[in-house]
Amino acid sequence: MNTLLLVEDDAVLREGLAELFIREGYRVVEAGSVREARARLDDAVQAIVMDVGLPDGDGVALCREWRAMGDTRPILFLTARDEEFDVVRGLDSGGNDYVTKPFRMQELLSRVRVLLRGSAPGRVTARGGFTVDETRMQITRDGEALPLTLTEYRILVLLLESKGVVSRDRLLQLLWDDGGKYIDDNTLSVHMSRLREKVGAAQIRTIRGVGYQWSDM
Ligand code: CA
């Protein structure tokens, strides 16, 4: 049975989430503060779901502290829409993923499942010189890791795993799920152009009026 440490100071939300995870077959250790989280993180815990704004500190700082101690267990942040959550800072701290409140329960469950594939051999997909390592949430080109944001990573995984054209609608849906806020067409275009700069413009073909397609060149 997988054990999660659930760190959330909103008791109603925490109990709701704990109930959900338990129904899905997890064992849940609950904590309502940084202090409790430190005390309750034991060897049985396999992944951590953690609120960022805690009454006695900050989940991102706690993540950084654990990483500095050599703890590599996956951490997913729960962030509030009105909190200025800096995704870069969150992931730089060693966090693996995040969801923005309010989130859909199914979305959270599926993210946690992905994290828990953890040290078990994760899904690795290779295409041309590009390799997606879903466990490490990393994409390499000829063995070298690409410096991608979380959004760029998600877009690129979708492109690499699709044989045909990925529609703009599908990408917009993906980005919607990502941050829970509306992303317009222009924002998508900005993400795509940054992604092209990182992987090489010719790798991503624009199919006018439809979407994008990965090109093996
Ligand atoms: Ca909070």
Side-chain angles (χ1 to χ4, degrees):
M1 191 185 289
N2 287 313
T3 300
L4 300 178
L5 174 64
L6 175 60
V7 188
E8 169 60 64
D9 61 311
D10 177 337
V12 174
L13 176 60
R14 187 180 67 238
E15 279 156 27
L17 289 175
E19 208 172 286
L20 171 87
F21 282 122
I22 289 164
R23 253 200 331 258
E24 292 290 316
Y26 293 92
R27 203 182 136 249
V28 178
V29 179
E30 293 181 49
S33 64
V34 168
R35 190 179 54 80
E36 284 180 4
R38 282 199 193 105
R40 293 188 186 159
L41 181 72
D42 62 22
D43 289 345
V45 172
Q46 286 153 300
I48 299 143
V49 174
M50 180 153 65
D51 185 23
V52 171
L54 293 163
D56 57 345
D58 168 0
V60 174
L62 182 57
C63 171
R64 198 178 290 283
E65 176 186 312
W66 283 336
R67 292 295 184 248
M69 290 162 57
D71 198 316
T72 58
R73 283 174 280 194
I75 297 178
L76 179 144
F77 292 118
L78 303 175
T79 75
R81 203 189 290 243
D82 54 356
E83 269 165 10
E84 206 41 58
F85 175 67
D86 182 339
V87 176
V88 174
R89 179 174 162 259
L91 299 179
D92 273 358
S93 73
N96 301 74
D97 202 357
Y98 70 99
V99 295
T100 307
K101 300 175 195 172
F103 44 81
R104 293 199 306 265
M105 294 302 182
Q106 287 308 319
E107 175 72 10
L108 179 61
L109 286 172
S110 83
R111 298 285 184 87
V112 168
R113 272 195 296 272
V114 169
L115 288 184
L116 279 168
R117 285 186 205 151
S119 49
R123 199 147 63 103
V124 174
T125 314
R127 186 163 177 182
F130 292 81
T131 304
V132 179
D133 181 340
E134 291 194 9
T135 303
R136 300 171 68 194
M137 293 186 73
Q138 198 176 64
I139 298 177
T140 56
R141 176 174 44 199
D142 302 328
E144 204 167 308
L146 294 168
L148 302 173
T149 65
L150 190 62
T151 301
E152 290 162 353
Y153 169 82
R154 293 224 164 93
I155 294 173
L156 195 48
V157 169
L158 193 57
L159 287 171
L160 285 168
E161 291 183 346
S162 303
K163 294 265 179 282
V165 181
V166 179
S167 70
R168 288 186 74 92
D169 281 348
R170 179 130 181 250
L171 286 163
L172 289 169
Q173 185 61 44
L174 175 87
L175 301 187
W176 170 285
D177 287 347
D178 197 26
K181 58 177 184 275
Y182 180 69
I183 303 281
D184 62 19
D185 244 34
N186 284 338
T187 311
L188 176 58
S189 299
V190 171
H191 284 303
M192 295 310 296
S193 79
R194 290 202 184 127
L195 194 50
R196 279 195 167 114
E197 280 171 25
K198 293 181 184 179
V199 301
Q203 300 277 182
I204 302 173
R205 292 171 54 209
T206 301
I207 313 297
R208 276 180 87 84
V210 186
Y212 300 92
Q213 182 169 19
W214 183 257
S215 162
D216 288 313
M217 300 201 307

